[in-house]
Amino acid sequence: MAVEISGASVTVEGNGLRHHVLQYGEPGAPDLLVIPGITSPAATADFFAGLLADRGYRVHVPDVRGRGRSDRAPSGSYRLTDYADDVAALVDALGLRRPAVLGHSMGARIAAAYAVTYAGADHAPLLLVDPPTSGPDRGPYPTTREQFLAQLHEAQRGTTADEVRRFYPHWSERELQLRAEVLATCDETAVVETHAGFESEDFFPYWRKVTAPAVLIRGGVSPVVPEPAAEDLRRANPDIDIVTVPDAGHMVPWDNLPGFLDAVAPYLKP
């Protein structure tokens, strides 16, 4: 039986693509845009998007280009600039009013690029959850392209929650089953080119320009933002808070949901 998703589906057009979006909460509430990670279609955020809506937000979670029910893009169109342009187009197409933006992993990189490129200094809270700190002269992303492709190919042939548990042993049964159901909707070109971008595109030039209100939230045992990288981030932009969620790896909300919600609470006050 398929995992039930509580968000309402809409499709909008922007930046030359059709974008599928899940929406939660009451229309008219303050807007919160959630941008997921490299192999996380919008449905995978369902378990915490609803909780953020309960806190008084109108939450919008897109299938990022090349994932879920959104359009695929041509090869060479999965760069940070492409993704940031999509976010700007979504904000316009959905009629969002100065939205707060929360991005996880790839989504955190995208959120920073969007805020710096489009929102300027006058933006609502920006929440960057465990953005990849890999890049030129900074070492490789800790999950290899081959590891991503192994999971994707398993999903394409038909995987199970038990198989997914090999990669995420501490997740709930629901989230394991949901990932087993939706991972195959991720386009291989999108995954491969985005992973390459984790190592060829530098996050720090965007990070240095991020302005308050903003926070960077990292998992306490994340290999993606380890403590030495967190120190580099602090030096590069000392004005922005960095909050550590204990007992969480890179998949922060999945690994420690109460800790994640505690970390975002001071910054999400509609």
Side-chain angles (χ1 to χ4, degrees), residues 15 64-67 77-88 106 110 114 190-191 193-194 201:
N15 197 27
V64 178
R65 61 167 57 198
R67 285 90 176 166
S77 300
Y78 292 99
R79 301 160 298 186
L80 261 178
T81 51
D82 300 310
Y83 288 126
D85 291 346
D86 283 353
V87 173
M106 173 193 76
I110 296 170
Y114 162 74
V191 174
E193 293 190 2
T194 303
E201 296 181 297

Side-chain angles (χ1 to χ4, degrees), residues 107-121:
R109 281 189 164 210
I110 296 170
Y114 162 74
V116 167
T117 305
Y118 287 97

